Amino acid sequence: MKGTKCYYSEKLEGRKCPYRLSYKCPDKLQNCVDKVLGEREEEEEEEERERADPQEKPLTLSSFFSQSSLHFTAKQKDSYLYTFFTMFSLNGSSFTNNSLSGVSRCLTQSSRRGVSGPMVVAAAVNSNGKPGDRNVSVLVENSMKESAAAPVEKEIKSTVTGGVGDVYGEDSATEDQSITPWTLSVASGYSLLRNPHYNKGLAFSEKERDSHYLRGLLPPVVVNHDLQVKKMMNNLRQYEVPLQRYIAMMDIQEMNERLYYKLLMDNVEELLPIVYTPTVGEACQKYGSIFRRPQGLFISLKEKGKINEVLKNWPERKIQVIVVTDGERILGLGDLGCQGMGIPVGKLSLYTALGGIRPSACLPITIDVGTNNEDLLNDEFYIGLRQRRARGQEYAELFDEFMYAVKQNYGEKVLIQFEDFANHNAFDLLAKYGTSHLVFNDDIQGTASVVLAGLMASLQLVGGTLAEHTFLFLGAGEAGTGIAELIALEMSKQTGIPLEETRKKIWMLDSKGLIVNSRMESLQHFKRPWAHEHEPVKELVNAVKSIKPTVLIGSSGAGRTFTKEVVQAMATFNEKPIIFALSNPTSQSECTAEEAYSWSEGRAIFASGSPFAPVEYNGKVYASGQANNAYIFPGFGLGLIISGAIRVHDDMLLAASEALAEQVSQENFEKGLIYPPFTNIRKISANIAAKVAAKAYELGLATRLPEPANLVAYAESCMYSPAYRSYR
Ligand SMILES: NC(=O)C1=CN([C@@H]2O[C@H](COP(=O)(O)OP(=O)(O)OC[C@H]3O[C@@H](n4cnc5c(N)ncnc54)[C@H](OP(=O)(O)O)[C@@H]3O)[C@@H](O)[C@H]2O)C=CC1
Ligand SMILES: CC(=O)C(=O)O
């Protein structure tokens, strides 16, 4: 920009060009504007961290009002009725020096959570502020859009004699009279123990018990976080049924968020199969019965025209990742409608535990457009819309409204991850919103990246280059064609051979048989690149015998399709056949680990979507890897966030694959593993994030500038820790 007037100078609002570069002005992407806006956003985030950080300075009334005013839009302000009234007995000692220490958590929480519902905003002492004086005024906001626009003050003597006053008029109201459901969120005392963000249970220190009105509400013992984890693991292990463990984990998450995440992080290999596949599949099937409290947002056709308001009902404002499903293809279990909510909830738990994204920045969403699952439609416990799925324009309009409301509420850089959409919507949604939003389809893109990583690692065991292998897929949907495309792209990059040619090394079968040129007319668009010249073949085993693949990948959602004959055929013409049974949950796996090893006489290099325990065959123990996108998406998303990426690019997927493959150690290979163990997942995610972020910078898609010198260290420093904080 040296010497020339910057085109965007007006938008920079008086700030200097952040680059001061002449050699590489990225202004075409308005990066400079984004950076300036980004800096402003960071300043706001910093202010927010200060408010959310328990180490922060005590919040004073004046600072609270000035801070909270930042979060109210003019429209919101207009619609609030401000009322002063007395509502709780407060220990005046908490309010000395006009400081709200002791209730400051409540205040920060309230200010952080926006202003859409009835809530306490601030409490003010009587003018003398003396300890023991119980006459207090409380400023309350509610969203009733009626009557008085101006604040009204009302002094009420609180009940100090032990009598319970009918402050809200609930008791005196008749059944046909309406009352206002006031709730107070003073995060101290009883309500602190009921607040999953801040509750520490028995880990509250003696000092905290004194300063937060917890005396008597807890038994005398004080335990540390580690002991709490140990106790919870003991409890969880008492349950023999995985779904009971899932429900117990749900309860812990709703009771004490930091305990939940520490539990998950410290015991990731044991608990991943509970909060994620395979158990999450059963949880979705029974979600109506086990539903307890909202864990995410349900947006149904009933909310059409109001999605913006629905998003504001969510208590958090700073959202960085949304995982959204419409429940039509839940794992390999099909259409579970609204009950698919278990998937976004589970994936976002992994975003936090494995990728270090703050829980408050994660938002699970289910779009409910009905279900075509007759069993659910006839199930009295079904929680979703009881109608057949909306299609076409009705679906598109709802989705469009959702996507734009998301951008409006959370900005340009919120990551929207699509999960478990049926393929007739998945590819189109990705293409449609890929140019206007930061979107990522985990089933298409995340799966592709994790499988490519596994293949790169496998080459260390079988030798050769990718281009020297031949691939056969059972299943030509999102997962199958997504993986195929990334393999072909990587081959093309490695060899310089055009993509159209590298695709010819890859064959696919769908429910109608081998995808061949003679079927071209009737093929869905995403299958067409995979139609090659061959006579029609219906059965997988015949396709295996004819094509002689070195790699067999199952992505059909149809269980037990890799039969003994299929695996034996693979083992006849491959010294080490590579076999991926990707379908989830375990019931839908194309074969078990035991089948893969025994039918191939222990020669298969095997990985599966859901985990299998190690298998003993002929006196040797075989540990199989878990080829699951859970290795990729948490680190991938973190990489996008730390770089402020505005779009996903295929080269970022390749970078993530390389980062994952590089982390398979010699020791892992010796055990036959082609993925590193999940126990190191935070480190793995930091490495993936760093490579993805580096690629975003290289491609000019990153907006968070300047680029950190050490991206791995930066990624690690950004990760959420579940360690307890001390409350003053
Ligand atoms: N391990 C992992 O990380 C992941 C695993 N998956 C799993 O992969 C599976 C498929 O997911 P996805 O690709 O999204 O699903 P899709 O519905 O998009 O694709 C399924 C494909 O399988 C084909 N198919 C179904 N039944 C058979 C059969 N009996 N024989 C041959 N082909 C069949 C379908 O054929 P047609 O087109 O003719 O209907 C379709 O091409 C699921 O079980 C899912 O859980 C998905 C993502 C990630
Ligand atoms: C793992 C996953 O995303 C799936 O099975 O759909």
Side-chain angles (χ1 to χ4, degrees):
M1 298 190 192
K2 261 187 210 160
T4 52
K5 183 169 164 12
C6 168
Y7 175 75
Y8 293 107
S9 55
E10 277 179 20
K11 292 190 183 176
L12 294 178
E13 295 173 13
R15 296 201 187 196
K16 285 198 178 124
C17 166
Y19 297 105
R20 299 198 191 97
L21 296 177
S22 56
Y23 61 93
K24 193 181 174 188
C25 173
D27 65 355
K28 280 197 196 112
L29 284 167
Q30 299 198 26
N31 278 359
C32 50
V33 180
D34 279 346
K35 178 172 160 50
V36 168
L37 295 179
E39 277 169 0
R40 204 164 290 157
E41 214 170 78
E42 273 169 20
E43 284 161 16
E44 282 176 22
E45 275 169 17
E46 185 53 37
E47 283 170 16
E48 172 143 342
R49 264 197 296 279
E50 271 177 34
R51 285 194 296 276
D53 186 343
Q55 305 303 329
E56 77 203 56
K57 294 188 285 296
L59 191 61
T60 60
L61 278 176
S62 52
S63 70
F64 170 70
F65 284 120
S66 64
Q67 284 175 25
S68 59
S69 65
L70 285 173
H71 295 266
F72 302 156
T73 64
K75 195 172 162 226
Q76 284 166 335
K77 275 183 182 159
D78 286 348
S79 69
Y80 295 128
L81 169 69
Y82 292 84
T83 311
F84 284 97
F85 70 99
T86 302
M87 60 206 337
F88 47 42
S89 299
L90 292 161
N91 179 342
S93 62
S94 303
F95 290 91
T96 50
N97 302 326
N98 197 26
S99 157
L100 293 182
S101 60
V103 289
S104 62
R105 306 272 355 121
C106 142
L107 302 180
T108 35
Q109 178 75 355
S110 299
S111 63
R112 189 156 61 97
R113 287 178 171 218
V115 288
S116 57
M119 65 185 190
V120 175
V121 180
V125 279
N126 210 22
S127 55
N128 62 19
K130 280 185 198 149
D133 189 323
R134 307 298 175 116
N135 283 342
V136 295
S137 301
V138 178
L139 173 60
V140 174
E141 289 194 39
N142 77 31
S143 52
M144 290 190 310
K145 293 178 177 141
E146 57 191 42
S147 63
V152 180
E153 192 172 347
K154 192 177 167 195
E155 290 281 352
I156 308 171
K157 281 238 182 287
S158 65
T159 53
V160 291
T161 56
V164 179
D166 183 17
V167 176
Y168 314 114
E170 279 173 57
D171 299 340
S172 53
T174 59
E175 276 187 17
D176 56 352
Q177 273 180 323
S178 304
I179 59 156
T180 304
W182 297 111
T183 63
L184 309 180
S185 15
V186 179
S188 66
Y190 196 73
S191 54
L192 179 55
L193 299 177
R194 290 282 178 282
N195 183 328
H197 292 295
Y198 300 113
N199 181 27
K200 300 196 243 179
L202 294 179
F204 279 112
S205 68
E206 299 287 358
K207 191 165 161 275
E208 288 168 333
R209 290 173 192 215
D210 279 331
S211 55
H212 292 277
Y213 313 97
L214 296 172
R215 286 278 165 211
L217 297 179
L218 292 167
V221 72
V222 176
V223 302
N224 63 31
H225 215 167
D226 288 331
L227 193 65
Q228 286 183 309
V229 167
K230 186 176 173 189
K231 182 171 81 174
M232 286 303 167
M233 285 310 293
N234 283 346
N235 292 350
L236 285 168
R237 287 175 187 142
Q238 312 280 319
Y239 296 114
E240 285 180 4
V241 179
L243 188 63
Q244 288 176 326
R245 293 188 185 191
Y246 180 92
I247 294 170
M249 285 296 284
M250 238 176 163
D251 287 342
I252 297 168
Q253 191 173 20
E254 283 165 14
M255 176 184 76
N256 179 340
E257 190 176 271
R258 286 178 186 270
L259 179 56
Y260 172 84
Y261 284 110
K262 184 164 167 59
L263 202 58
L264 193 49
M265 286 166 63
D266 290 359
N267 300 277
V268 66
E269 298 223 324
E270 187 171 344
L271 294 180
L272 211 54
I274 303 298
V275 300
Y276 191 51
T277 182
T279 312
V280 72
E282 190 184 354
C284 289
Q285 287 172 314
K286 299 178 180 158
Y287 204 78
S289 301
I290 65 174
F291 177 81
R292 293 158 130 68
R293 289 189 201 170
Q295 297 177 293
L297 276 177
F298 295 93
I299 299 178
S300 78
L301 288 169
K302 284 193 208 169
E303 278 71 56
K304 191 153 187 259
K306 301 179 215 157
I307 297 180
N308 217 7
E309 288 166 45
V310 174
L311 292 181
K312 290 188 198 310
N313 288 345
W314 186 248
E316 304 290 346
R317 303 292 307 136
K318 276 280 179 181
I319 300 300
Q320 291 177 313
V321 188
I322 289 173
V323 175
V324 60
T325 187
D326 73 356
E328 193 169 2
R329 196 285 280 143
I330 294 299
L331 307 175
L333 302 171
D335 183 352
L336 298 184
C338 186
Q339 303 197 161
M341 180 57 109
I343 296 295
V345 168
K347 294 268 178 184
L348 283 165
S349 280
L350 303 198
Y351 254 113
T352 299
L354 314 189
I357 309 293
R358 274 179 298 131
S360 59
C362 298
L363 173 52
I365 296 185
T366 294
I367 304 280
D368 184 355
V369 294
T371 178
N372 292 348
N373 182 326
E374 292 298 333
D375 290 343
L376 290 179
L377 289 172
N378 294 320
D379 178 354
E380 63 174 324
F381 296 133
Y382 181 55
I383 55 172
L385 284 186
R386 218 169 277 273
Q387 66 165 71
R388 297 187 75 76
R389 279 187 177 273
R391 302 272 190 221
Q393 197 180 341
E394 198 180 2
Y395 182 95
E397 282 176 8
L398 188 78
F399 217 86
D400 233 22
E401 185 187 336
F402 164 68
M403 292 301 284
Y404 285 95
V406 163
K407 204 164 170 180
Q408 198 172 332
N409 276 274
Y410 310 120
E412 187 94 37
K413 284 177 251 169
V414 63
L415 170 61
I416 305 169
Q417 178 163 316
F418 297 134
E419 282 290 344
D420 290 10
F421 286 80
N423 60 39
H424 57 88
N425 284 320
F427 290 100
D428 294 348
L429 292 176
L430 188 60
K432 179 171 178 187
Y433 296 106
T435 50
S436 56
H437 291 69
L438 181 64
V439 288
F440 170 69
N441 185 304
D442 193 29
D443 300 304
I444 301 171
Q445 298 171 299
T447 315
S449 187
V450 77
V451 172
L452 179 60
L455 290 169
M456 288 169 166
S458 303
L459 297 182
Q460 306 275 333
L461 296 171
V462 299
T465 63
L466 264 189
E468 285 162 1
H469 284 267
T470 305
F471 302 81
L472 176 62
F473 284 76
L474 181 74
E478 292 163 64
T481 61
I483 301 163
E485 188 65 17
L486 202 65
I487 295 173
L489 184 64
E490 177 65 13
M491 275 189 207
S492 174
K493 286 198 181 250
Q494 284 180 7
T495 59
I497 299 170
L499 194 59
E500 296 70 37
E501 286 302 308
T502 56
R503 284 183 182 138
K504 291 184 180 157
K505 296 285 291 184
I506 302 172
W507 295 82
M508 304 202 124
L509 247 114
D510 64 10
S511 64
K512 298 182 183 65
L514 194 63
I515 296 183
V516 291
N517 280 342
S518 55
R519 290 179 54 194
M520 189 67 92
E521 286 299 297
S522 62
L523 289 175
Q524 289 147 287
H525 65 90
F526 51 86
K527 292 181 184 168
R528 288 192 182 148
W530 311 103
H532 308 315
E533 200 50 52
H534 198 286
E535 65 194 29
V537 180
K538 181 80 184 116
E539 300 300 329
L540 173 65
V541 66
N542 295 332
V544 169
K545 286 177 181 167
S546 169
I547 290 159
K548 295 190 172 43
T550 53
V551 181
L552 177 64
I553 298 178
S555 56
S556 62
R560 301 291 172 272
T561 36
F562 290 177
T563 59
K564 188 172 183 180
E565 215 187 341
V566 167
V567 176
Q568 282 180 337
M570 284 294 291
T572 50
F573 41 79
N574 291 298
E575 176 55 32
K576 290 183 177 171
I578 300 173
I579 299 176
F580 285 76
L582 297 178
S583 294
N584 295 315
T586 316
S587 59
Q588 310 308 112
S589 187
E590 283 79 6
C591 66
T592 66
E594 203 203 338
E595 289 166 347
Y597 294 121
S598 60
W599 293 339
S600 66
E601 297 159 334
R603 286 184 284 124
I605 293 168
F606 177 75
S608 54
S610 297
F612 283 105
V615 170
E616 199 180 321
Y617 173 75
N618 269 356
K620 189 175 164 196
V621 174
Y622 294 83
S624 58
Q626 191 176 349
N628 195 296
N629 46 35
Y631 271 111
I632 292 290
F633 71 79
F636 191 85
L638 181 65
L640 297 175
I641 290 168
I642 62 172
S643 60
I646 48 170
R647 298 287 176 265
V648 167
H649 191 285
D650 282 347
D651 285 357
M652 297 176 183
L653 299 173
L654 296 177
S657 301
E658 276 166 28
L660 179 56
E662 276 169 11
Q663 288 167 87
V664 189
S665 67
Q666 200 49 43
E667 192 190 340
N668 301 149
F669 283 130
E670 279 159 17
K671 290 184 187 155
L673 286 171
I674 50 170
Y675 292 101
F678 267 111
T679 37
N680 297 332
I681 189 68
R682 277 278 178 117
K683 186 84 199 158
I684 295 167
S685 295
N687 282 301
I688 293 174
K691 285 258 165 113
V692 170
K695 191 55 78 177
Y697 285 105
E698 188 187 316
L699 294 169
L701 292 171
T703 60
R704 192 144 289 179
L705 298 169
E707 179 179 347
N710 182 338
L711 278 167
V712 176
Y714 182 63
E716 282 177 329
S717 75
C718 293
M719 286 180 166
Y720 163 85
S721 155
Y724 286 140
R725 306 293 194 266
S726 297
Y727 304 156
R728 79 174 68 76

